[in-house]
Structure formats: structure tokens, C-alpha cells
Amino acid sequence: MKPVVIYCSQTGHTERYARWIAEDIGCDAIAYKNRNAVDLADFDTVIFGSWFHAASIPGAKWLKRQIAAHPEKRFVLFATGASPMPEQGGSSVEIEEAVRRTFPEAEYPDLPWFYMRGGFSMDKLGALDRTMMKVFFSRTEKLAGSDPGIAVMDREMKAGFDGTERAFIAPLLDCVRGAGE
Ligand SMILES: Cc1cc2nc3c(=O)[nH]c(=O)nc-3n(C[C@H](O)[C@H](O)[C@H](O)COP(=O)(O)O)c2cc1C
């Protein structure tokens, strides 16, 4: 197996997972901005990591092009987000919907995907994302009074948090190594 990890990360949480995965399987983790310096012909397995950005997954268009151009390679997707994982009380339906909005099951039936909780840091965001989040918070503030779940999310996100845990990469590692097939 000749794997490589390519990751898109703005505030570092996806990058942390990418580095843990690369370390455990013994390969390189390449930042998305350096993707053109990598020749995918040198690898048979491409692990792509990115993050939930409202209704999109940054870098997804590139990944789709690579999947189309390299049908012989194995691609594995992982995404991070602020939402809790199902084992933490998060909604597996919402997480799956967030992935399937970009990678519909009908078009990508064989793409293994994994969700790992990232974190949130407002102060590391670019200006546009900060504005988007201010709009988001104006909505969550209104809903917090009547929805305890939203109240917790609103509080946690405003304070900032790091929800990354190395153990969360285990199912992806099993899949890449073949045990999760
Ligand atoms: C504009 C914006 C939209 C986001 N939308 C979602 C979302 O829909 N679902 C979610 O779980 N997290 C969402 N997040 C949180 C990020 O996915 C989370 O902070 C992620 O771990 C960031 O990864 P990074 O640190 O590698 O950049 C959003 C963050 C921003 C800034």
C-alpha cells in the first residue's frame, strides 16, 4: 500500500487529524495548498480530509476530479466539524446528510467516509467566515432560550473549543488497513 494524506484545514483541527493518520500509517500529510506538488501516480490510496463549511466541504471539487481521473485508486474521505459525533450525542443523520450533500450516495457509493469532531476557534477564521459565524450566532442566540442543545453549542462555539482526540481516527485506520472492509 502506498498511501498519502491530503488535507484542507483553516484553523488546524483537520490538520491535526491528518498528521495523526499519516504518522500511524507511515506516510506524508500534504496541505491542500501544496497538492499540485504531489503526483498522485506515486500513490494507490488517497486519504482526503477537510471540514464542514455550512453546506460545503472545502476541496471537494478537487477530490471529485481526482476520483474521476483515477478510478484505479482507493480514496477515503474524512471530515471534521464542530458538531458532536454520534457517540457524543450528535445526530448521525445530520452528519451523513452533510457528507451526502456533497458526495451523494448514488454517485459515490464506494467512497468510505468518516466524521471526527474538530473544534472551533473564531480568532483563527478568515474575515468572511467570521462574518458568516456572526450571522450564525445571531440565530443560535435567539434559539438558545428554547433549545438546550443549541444553548450548549452557542456557548461552546463562542468560547472556542478543541474536540480533537487521537482515538477518533481508529475506524479510518481500520478501513485503510483493510480491517474495516
Ligand atoms: C463558516 C463556517 C461554517 C461551518 N459550518 C459547520 C457545519 O455546517 N457543521 C459543523 O459541524 N461544523 C461547521 N463549522 C465548524 C468547522 O467545521 C470546524 O471548526 C472544523 O473543525 C474546522 O476545521 P479546521 O480547524 O481544520 O479548519 C463551520 C465553521 C465555519 C467557520
Side-chain angles (χ1 to χ4, degrees), residues 7-16 32 49-51:
Y7 66 89
C8 224
S9 181
Q10 181 178 205
T11 63
H13 303 94
T14 314
E15 175 173 2
R16 189 164 316 128
Y32 184 73
S50 186
W51 51 288

Side-chain angles (χ1 to χ4, degrees), residues 98-178:
V99 172
R100 288 302 180 198
R101 206 177 290 133
T102 306
F103 294 95
E105 174 116 58
E107 285 171 62
Y108 299 93
D110 300 323
L111 177 67
W113 63 267
F114 298 86
Y115 175 71
M116 298 152 202
R117 195 172 201 200
F120 188 75
S121 34
M122 189 79 165
D123 52 344
K124 289 189 194 153
L125 293 179
L128 198 63
D129 281 337
R130 213 171 304 157
T131 305
M132 273 177 84
M133 290 312 299
K134 281 183 187 153
V135 174
F136 177 78
F137 287 139
S138 67
R139 268 188 270 132
T140 54
E141 273 161 26
K142 282 194 196 113
L143 296 169
S146 56
D147 186 327
I150 291 183
V152 171
M153 179 186 69
D154 183 70
R155 209 172 40 242
E156 275 187 356
M157 288 185 76
K158 281 183 187 152
F161 72 95
D162 177 1
T164 58
E165 276 189 41
R166 192 164 186 143
F168 295 156
I169 67 174
L172 181 146
L173 295 178
D174 283 349
C175 169
V176 171
R177 291 173 176 146

Side-chain angles (χ1 to χ4, degrees), residues 77-100:
L77 169 69
F78 76 90
T80 75
S83 308
M85 292 161 68
E87 50 269 54
Q88 300 169 320
S91 163
S92 56
V93 173
E94 281 173 23
I95 291 165
E96 176 145 19
E97 274 172 5
V99 172
R100 288 302 180 198

